[in-house]
Amino acid sequence: MTDTAQIITSYGRRYIVRTAEGRTFDATTRKKRVDFACGDYVRIAPINDEQVVIEDYLPRQSLLYRQDAWKTKLIAANVTQLLIVLAAVPSPSEMLLQRALLAAEAADIGAVIVLNKADLPETASWREKLGFYETLGYPVCEVSALENAEALRPVLQGHTNIFLGQSGMGKSTLTNALLGNQAARVGDISTALDSGRHTTTHAQLYDLNADTRLIDSPGLQEFGLYHLDAAGLLAYFPDLRHLAGLCRFHNCSHRAEPGCAVKAAAEAGSVRAERLAFLQRITDELMR
């Protein structure tokens, strides 16, 4: 007999699933399958009172993942909003931010930028830098995880959210602050594998209320975009997508080709030179 459940914890090849009735089980997969993600709804078959085997996943509303030249890493499934968490200390990566925003656009997931540790004096330069991303339509929320994480609650409401960012940006501190007294209770499920560590090593889904979920994910330093199509990249740039289809060549690398609409726009000053450089960099990666 098979039933359905949702993956609420992903350790790579081991999972914890929760049924609609709220029962949780340790779960494994057949033939060492790893194409499941936290947030997936799956078909399960019982092994005993505590263990099940995952047979397959159900159709996904969305899938957020990253891919480099060697491997694909699933991040989360059925997410409706990505929150990219940055903090001025330790130094955040604007390249990672830009890549994560591209991945969100490609997966049709809404994106919000969270500037954490907003009380630090070093935050001022990042506040200014992130103003550009606000003009692209990405909300920027300033918080200090230990003081006013509650300010995020209206932003999260009604979504299945995921916190994404480098280690040290405060994702887990924000998560714990939002969970409040729940944190210890839901944390009991998975603390055994994380004991003594100060960083999240697995993806974990939490319920903030009946309509709102939050996935805390491991810190990452790189965000490969090899799963994107170079020819369709412009569609994922809010400030460049109006130029899609205007280059003379459909496989334009936006470097030396004649009739490149993006280069012409950059030279005219209507497009930022840094955004053209970022587009060129990603295009080069995908056309290798």
Side-chain angles (χ1 to χ4, degrees), residues 137-187:
Y138 302 115
V140 176
C141 300
E142 292 193 22
V143 295
S144 294
L146 298 176
E147 295 173 15
N148 67 336
E150 289 298 312
L152 278 181
R153 220 172 269 281
V155 178
L156 303 173
Q157 179 61 35
H159 286 283
T160 295
N161 305 274
I162 182 167
F163 281 158
L164 198 73
Q166 297 157 263
S167 297
M169 297 292 116
K171 300 185 306 298
S172 294
T173 308
L174 278 171
T175 300
N176 290 335
L178 288 163
L179 287 169
N181 293 333
Q182 288 185 69
R185 191 168 71 247
V186 294

Side-chain angles (χ1 to χ4, degrees), residues 58-251:
L58 302 179
R60 291 162 167 154
Q61 180 179 348
S62 66
L63 179 64
L64 185 65
Y65 65 105
R66 55 195 178 100
Q67 182 177 342
D68 59 26
W70 301 278
K71 64 182 179 185
T72 298
K73 176 73 173 174
L74 302 190
I75 299 172
N78 299 308
V79 166
T80 60
Q81 186 166 255
L82 166 65
L83 293 99
I84 303 154
V85 182
L86 304 174
V89 179
S91 56
S93 164
E94 190 172 4
M95 178 60 67
L96 185 70
L97 167 65
Q98 293 186 84
R99 288 171 176 268
L101 290 174
L102 276 196
E105 293 280 353
D108 199 22
I109 296 170
V112 174
I113 301 169
V114 177
L115 184 56
N116 193 19
K117 309 182 189 179
D119 52 325
L120 296 177
E122 295 91 342
T123 299
S125 62
W126 275 92
R127 184 177 293 124
E128 187 177 330
K129 194 174 291 192
L130 294 177
F132 167 68
Y133 295 95
E134 284 188 290
T135 69
L136 301 184
Y138 302 115
V140 176
C141 300
E142 292 193 22
V143 295
S144 294
L146 298 176
E147 295 173 15
N148 67 336
E150 289 298 312
L152 278 181
R153 220 172 269 281
V155 178
L156 303 173
Q157 179 61 35
H159 286 283
T160 295
N161 305 274
I162 182 167
F163 281 158
L164 198 73
Q166 297 157 263
S167 297
M169 297 292 116
K171 300 185 306 298
S172 294
T173 308
L174 278 171
T175 300
N176 290 335
L178 288 163
L179 287 169
N181 293 333
Q182 288 185 69
R185 191 168 71 247
V186 294
D188 285 344
I189 300 171
S190 53
T191 44
L193 289 181
D194 264 359
S195 56
R197 298 193 177 112
H198 296 288
T199 56
T200 303
T201 60
H202 61 273
Q204 175 80 47
L205 181 147
Y206 302 101
D207 296 317
L208 292 185
N209 58 41
D211 306 312
T212 312
R213 293 182 170 84
L214 174 60
I215 296 174
D216 186 20
S217 64
L220 47 88
Q221 307 304 321
E222 302 285 339
F223 205 119
L225 296 168
Y226 275 66
H227 55 294
L228 303 186
D229 174 26
L233 269 183
L234 285 179
Y236 308 138
F237 285 74
D239 49 333
L240 305 182
R241 60 170 63 116
H242 65 287
L243 300 170
L246 299 183
C247 294
R248 186 180 301 175
F249 301 104
H250 81 279
N251 60 343

